[in-house]
Structure formats: structure tokens, C-alpha cells
Amino acid sequence: MKRTLAIAQREWVGLFCSPIAYVVIGLFVVGTAILFVTRFDIGAPATLRPMLSDTVWFLVFIVPAISMRALSEELRSGTYERLMTAPVSDTAVAVGKWLGGMGFIAVLLLPVVLMMGVLESAADPELGPMVTGLLGLVLVAGLYLAIGVFSSAATSNQVIALLLTVAIISVPTFALFFVRDAPFVTSGVRKAVDYASVDRQFADFAKGLIDVRNFVYFGSLIALFLFLAVKVLEARRWK
């Protein structure tokens, strides 16, 4: 555990030493601010639900920019070879990289917390849906980041890692969103698609609902992609 946390701290610090981190933070702040201002209707109830739902789609491109260097940079620079000779397991490396990225995402989401405070002081919104919506964003970002760690383990090219992450993320986020409403989809398949869709899973959090199935969905997929990342790293040891 100490080695995992040490890698997480190293990754967190490394992210803030990278210029791309500040570009990502700037884009996220501007993007969420625009959504915050434009997603309110005069006379409508005060809520962050539309903004939070749109932010999920925004994370599709923001999180891969964070994760693309996680292991790709180690592989490109040759520092991963030193990690392979150190008494550190591949699991510790993958999980540590993910935890470090999640620490960065926690900082990235601070503007959303600020917007919650602004809305709370200016109106009388329901606090529950805002808190659960923020929790949903953390879980969505955690899933996207796990996919990014896997993609980054698969290639030493950061651009390819970014594109691969976006491609994989697009399946449960974009593709299933449109497949659900296709005329040829049966009710049984539609239920399965609903469960597999990130957008539908997040919708419960945005409504203020807490369902164990939502946590199982995100937890199992995060574990799956971190497991795949570990297997890719193990395969590299044998090359």
C-alpha cells in the first residue's frame, strides 16, 4: 500500500508539473462556467442537473488528456524499465497511477463545488441532487481514468493513448446513447443498453437517487480496466 500511495503522489505531482494539466484545468473551468451560465431558464427551478449532465460529455475529452501520459510517458522515456527492476508490483503501478489521476480530478472538480456554493447562496436548490450529482461525476471520471490508464499502458505514444481512450469511452457514453432509441432495438435489449450506458447510470445520481447497482456498475468497470492495465504491464515484463 505504501508503494501504491508513493506512486500516486508521484503521479499527482507530475501532473501539476506538466503544462497540459493547466490547459486541461483552464478548458474545464471555462467549459463548466459556460454551461453553468447557459443552462438556466428564467423562472425555472434552481438546479445544477442540466449542467452536470452536460459535464459528463465534456469529461469524455478532458479525462483522456489527463491519463494519456500516465504510463505512456514512462514507457517512452524508459523510466518504466527502472520501475520493473524495483520491488513494485504491476498492480501497485496501475492503481497508483489511477489514484494520482483521481487526486488531480478532485482538484479539477473544485469549480463545480464553487458553483454549487454560488447557487446555494443565490437560490434555494435541493442540496441532495447536487451532492449526488457531484458524486456521479467523480465515478464517471474514475471510470474514464481507468480506461485511460489501460490505454496508456498499451502504447508509448501519448496521442495514440488519448485517441484509444476516447474511442473506448465513446462506446458506453455516445454509441449506446443512440443505440437505445434505434427502431430495431427490442425492450429487453433496451434495458441492457440502459444499464450499460454511462449517461443513464449518471442520470440516477443527477436526480438525487442512490442505487447500489450504480456503484456496482462503476466499481466493476473501474476494476476491470485496471485489471486489464495490470495484465498489459505484466505482458511487457515478459518481452
Side-chain angles (χ1 to χ4, degrees):
M1 179 58 72
K2 289 183 179 180
R3 294 188 177 95
T4 301
L5 294 177
I7 292 173
Q9 182 180 15
R10 175 172 172 265
E11 177 68 11
W12 189 80
V13 172
L15 280 167
F16 281 102
C17 291
S18 171
I20 190 66
Y22 298 97
V23 174
V24 168
I25 291 174
L27 288 174
F28 186 79
V29 170
V30 172
T32 50
I34 292 173
L35 291 174
F36 180 71
V37 173
T38 60
R39 293 295 276 159
F40 285 104
D41 296 323
I42 297 176
T47 176
L48 282 183
R49 182 177 172 184
M51 190 213 81
L52 294 176
S53 297
D54 290 344
T55 301
V56 170
W57 297 65
F58 197 40
L59 289 176
V60 172
F61 306 99
I62 289 293
V63 175
I66 299 170
S67 65
M68 67 180 185
R69 64 176 296 281
L71 287 161
S72 294
E73 178 62 19
E74 302 270 13
L75 295 170
R76 184 196 64 79
S77 63
T79 55
Y80 184 70
E81 294 178 2
R82 292 198 294 271
L83 273 177
M84 291 174 65
T85 60
V88 179
S89 67
D90 294 315
T91 300
V93 172
V95 175
K97 292 288 184 178
W98 182 79
L99 287 175
M102 288 303 295
F104 181 85
I105 286 171
V107 175
L108 186 70
L109 291 177
L110 286 178
V112 177
V113 178
L114 177 61
M115 292 170 195
M116 290 170 58
V118 170
L119 189 63
E120 181 68 27
S121 63
D124 187 27
E126 290 187 49
L127 186 59
M130 290 198 298
V131 173
T132 56
L134 180 61
L135 174 60
L137 281 184
V138 172
L139 291 172
V140 171
L143 171 56
Y144 291 172
L145 186 63
I147 294 172
V149 170
F150 161 70
S151 300
S152 186
T155 176
S156 60
N157 188 304
Q158 293 187 33
V159 175
I160 294 177
L162 184 149
L163 294 176
L164 179 59
T165 304
V166 172
I168 296 174
I169 288 174
S170 295
V171 175
T173 306
F174 294 126
L176 294 183
F177 181 81
F178 294 107
V179 167
R180 179 189 182 279
D181 297 322
F184 58 83
V185 175
T186 63
S187 60
V189 173
R190 185 171 289 111
K191 288 181 180 179
V193 170
D194 273 344
Y195 185 76
S197 170
V198 168
D199 185 70
R200 296 289 175 176
Q201 291 288 337
F202 176 78
D204 288 342
F205 288 100
K207 295 174 184 175
L209 302 176
I210 297 292
D211 192 323
V212 174
R213 291 174 296 179
N214 301 131
F215 290 97
V216 170
Y217 172 85
F218 286 108
S220 59
L221 285 181
I222 289 171
L224 171 63
F225 280 101
L226 289 179
F227 172 78
L228 292 176
V230 170
K231 290 304 176 183
V232 171
L233 293 178
E234 289 178 350
R236 289 186 176 277
R237 285 183 181 270
W238 292 100
K239 286 186 178 180

